[in-house]
């Protein structure tokens, strides 16, 4: 459902892999009976209304059912825990000109990437 890497892509304003995320959340939040039915039908029937409700803009995340929100929230927390430092540490390093300038160009770029990733994940936590 989520491709080879098993990851979802989030942007500043939207979920870029919204179909995969929506489908994954729906399947993972199914009861055993719902999942059996899903497997027997080999997925969902083509239903434009169902498809329309499956998209996940950031605004739509707050309308997710509670089990899906909790699953997403816990997943984001696990992702944040996988980093070696927290958002505040990255922000402090970015704000400390002397320490920042001691970093190599590559380390500076990596810092900006990590900081951006963590900002997006924190934004997602607030939404759900």
């Amino acid at each position: 459902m989520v491709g080879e890497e098993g990851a979802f892509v989030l942007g500043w304003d939207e979920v870029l892999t919204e179909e995969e995320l929506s489908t994954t959340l729906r399947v993972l939040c199914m009861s055993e009976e719902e999942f059996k039915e899903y497997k027997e039908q080999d997925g969902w029937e083509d239903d434009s209304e169902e498809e329309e409700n499956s998209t996940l803009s950031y605004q739509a995340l707050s309308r997710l059912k509670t089990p899906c929100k909790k699953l997403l929230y816990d997943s984001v927390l696990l992702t944040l825990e996988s980093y070696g430092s927290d958002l505040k540490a990255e922000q402090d390093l970015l704000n400390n000109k002397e320490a920042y300038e001691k970093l190599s160009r590559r380390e500076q770029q990596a810092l900006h990437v990590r900081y951006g990733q963590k900002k997006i994940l924190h934004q997602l936590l607030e939404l759900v």
Side-chain angles (χ1 to χ4, degrees):
M1 276 186 281
V2 297
E4 292 179 23
E5 293 182 14
F8 302 104
V9 181
L10 306 170
W12 284 111
D13 300 316
E14 62 188 353
V15 177
L16 301 177
T17 54
E18 62 183 319
E19 185 178 338
E20 292 90 345
L21 179 58
S22 178
T23 300
T24 301
L25 288 174
R26 288 173 68 188
V27 169
L28 291 175
C29 293
M30 286 179 177
S31 67
E32 185 176 344
E33 184 178 305
E34 290 170 326
F35 183 69
K36 283 180 185 177
E37 184 179 321
Y38 173 78
K39 281 177 53 176
E40 287 171 8
Q41 293 178 1
D42 197 25
W44 288 283
E45 294 178 15
D46 288 339
D47 183 356
S48 60
E49 182 180 319
E50 189 82 23
E51 193 174 298
E52 189 175 304
N53 291 334
S54 71
T55 60
L56 282 179
S57 65
Y58 273 6
Q59 295 80 18
L61 290 174
S62 63
R63 296 189 302 266
L64 287 173
K65 293 179 182 176
T66 302
C68 290
K69 281 184 182 180
K70 177 151 179 39
L71 179 61
L72 190 55
Y73 186 88
D74 290 345
S75 297
V76 170
L77 286 180
L78 283 172
T79 302
L80 284 169
E81 288 174 8
S82 71
Y83 286 96
S85 61
D86 63 6
L87 181 65
K88 181 163 177 13
E90 306 289 1
Q91 194 167 18
D92 289 347
L93 186 52
L94 283 168
N95 291 334
N96 184 335
K97 187 176 181 179
E98 186 178 312
Y100 180 80
E101 289 177 353
K102 288 181 181 178
L103 299 174
S104 70
R105 182 75 177 131
R106 186 178 184 140
E107 290 171 323
Q108 290 174 354
Q109 291 171 340
L111 174 62
H112 284 281
V113 169
R114 282 192 317 272
Y115 179 74
Q117 290 171 338
K118 291 174 187 178
K119 287 285 287 183
I120 289 171
L121 291 170
H122 279 275
Q123 177 183 354
L124 188 56
L125 284 178
E126 289 178 22
L127 291 168
V128 295

